[in-house]
Amino acid sequence: MIHLPRSLKLMALTLVMASGLGHLQAHAQSYPNRPVKIVVPFAAGGPADNYARFMAQRLTDELKQPFVIDNKPGAGSIIGTDFAAKSPADGYTLLMMSNTQTVNESLIPKKPFALMKDFVGIAPVNYSNLLLVVHPSVPVKNVSELVALAKSKPGKLNFASSGNGTPYHMAGELFKYMAGIDMTHVPYKGSSGARTDIVGGQVDVMFDAETTMAEFARNGQVRMLGATGLARSANLPDVPTVAETVPKYEATIWLGFMAPKGTPADIVTKLNAEMRKIVNNPEVKTAWAKQGAVPLSMTVAEFEQYLNADIAKWANIVKVSGMKAD
């Protein structure tokens, strides 16, 4: 056995480490060198699809390779998410996801993947407020009066949603839990039927997207009681947050990107930096504000914490409500 002097051993170790670092840097610098697929597990035309296409175009412009959308809707996002989970972990398949997936972790435990085991978070994109509205026949003018009415008539008031486990449903269940009230959930197969019935007075209460429901409120078809973010909406500054009455209440729709577990860390870091650059662009912030969307900017580590916290938050609501998937 040949014994090298300590100085030569240190030099050799340094060269090995430098070689490895150089390989990682070269890996990140060469990515992407072919088209990148963004799997959107929701139907075309919805918020996730629209913002995925927006981000895809900006990433294409910045990274000089096509970022292409692949819509795979179905089974409450399970089909597309499972497809992405089983894709090669090479940075060329990304997943556009939302809090639908964090809810599904507890709502649908027997699914073919686990979010934090089979994916790595890249970056969030934005969040949008929901609005808590009532039909004008409901005799309340604010959140406090709604809570009082619901407490005086347990289970008598009903609230519509676009289906079990959707953000609109979860917003209602969280409100019930945090306000200490009981309302009856009326699930619909999509938002359009629920909106038709809240406007028609067949249901009393609904949580729905600000961008959609604000117009009904301006027309006097529903009454806005509160916005579901922690801060008031820039578009509706006179509408209080639900949290002003029910402390710490928050139930937004947020979007983000993940990749199959095992995707090289340098690629994840590079994508995170590019996505943060996009969402922090002043022109993007202004355009999104008009749509009721607020940019989210986090490091990879911060996004992982955010994901774990969101999973835990909704797991508690699924447990206390006793809800089951359709």
Side-chain angles (χ1 to χ4, degrees), residues 9 38 42 49 58 72 79 107 116 124 144 198 201 204 220 248 260 268 282 325:
K9 289 182 179 178
I38 298 176
F42 306 100
D49 178 66
R58 292 295 181 113
K72 291 188 179 297
I79 292 173
L107 184 63
M116 302 307 288
S144 180
I198 185 74
D204 305 310
K248 297 184 179 180
V268 171

Side-chain angles (χ1 to χ4, degrees), residues 5-304:
R6 179 178 174 81
S7 60
L8 288 178
K9 289 182 179 178
L10 289 174
M11 184 181 297
L13 180 60
T14 301
L15 287 172
V16 169
M17 293 175 66
S19 174
L21 181 61
H23 174 73
L24 283 176
Q25 290 173 338
H27 192 206
Q29 289 170 359
S30 65
Y31 173 87
N33 55 29
R34 55 187 171 86
V36 178
K37 179 189 296 182
I38 298 176
V39 177
V40 180
F42 306 100
D49 178 66
N50 290 338
Y51 286 111
R53 292 178 188 278
F54 178 94
M55 294 295 289
Q57 185 56 59
R58 292 295 181 113
L59 289 167
T60 297
D61 294 342
E62 289 293 326
L63 297 177
K64 311 305 179 187
Q65 285 290 341
F67 281 69
V68 296
I69 303 300
D70 184 8
N71 292 96
K72 291 188 179 297
S77 82
I78 299 296
I79 292 173
T81 306
D82 184 46
F83 175 86
K86 291 177 169 57
S87 297
D90 55 8
Y92 290 91
T93 300
L94 311 180
L95 173 72
M96 180 56 144
M97 51 87 66
S98 74
N99 41 335
T100 295
Q101 276 94 338
T102 55
V103 168
N104 283 347
E105 283 301 283
S106 51
L107 184 63
I108 310 175
K110 293 182 179 179
K111 56 189 183 308
F113 60 87
L115 201 63
M116 302 307 288
K117 181 174 73 73
D118 294 316
F119 289 94
V120 58
I122 299 174
V125 174
N126 60 33
Y127 75 86
S128 301
N129 278 328
L130 305 179
L131 289 178
L132 166 57
V133 301
V134 296
H135 185 264
S137 65
V138 180
V140 299
K141 295 294 194 294
N142 53 50
V143 175
S144 180
E145 290 181 2
L146 176 62
V147 171
L149 179 63
K151 285 184 175 180
S152 71
K153 299 179 177 181
K156 297 298 183 183
L157 290 177
N158 53 45
F159 76 98
S161 85
S162 53
N164 284 329
T166 61
Y168 310 112
H169 176 207
M170 301 308 294
E173 294 294 345
L174 182 66
F175 180 63
K176 286 169 53 180
Y177 173 69
M178 295 185 70
I181 62 174
D182 183 22
M183 296 191 298
T184 300
H185 177 223
V186 182
Y188 289 76
K189 293 182 177 179
S191 297
S192 59
R195 290 183 192 120
T196 297
D197 280 4
I198 185 74
V199 169
Q202 282 75 36
V203 288
D204 305 310
V205 181
M206 186 176 177
F207 289 84
D208 197 7
E210 173 189 319
T211 48
T212 304
M213 197 50 73
E215 188 63 28
F216 289 104
R218 281 191 284 267
N219 293 335
Q221 295 168 291
V222 296
R223 183 181 301 125
M224 291 186 289
L225 302 186
T228 63
L230 290 178
R232 292 194 180 194
S233 167
N235 293 330
L236 301 167
D238 295 331
V239 177
T241 65
V242 175
E244 290 173 43
T245 301
V246 182
K248 297 184 179 180
Y249 177 90
E250 182 185 22
T252 61
I253 294 180
W254 61 262
L255 301 168
F257 283 94
M258 301 187 85
K261 183 72 80 174
T263 298
D266 55 318
I267 290 178
V268 171
T269 300
K270 182 172 185 175
L271 286 169
N272 175 274
E274 292 294 338
M275 291 178 185
R276 294 181 75 185
K277 189 190 306 181
I278 293 168
V279 303
N280 285 314
N281 182 302
E283 292 181 2
V284 171
K285 288 183 176 182
T286 300
W288 284 3
K290 294 176 181 177
Q291 301 166 15
V294 181
L296 283 171
S297 179
M298 301 178 194
T299 65
V300 173
E302 288 169 342
F303 188 39
E304 181 179 10

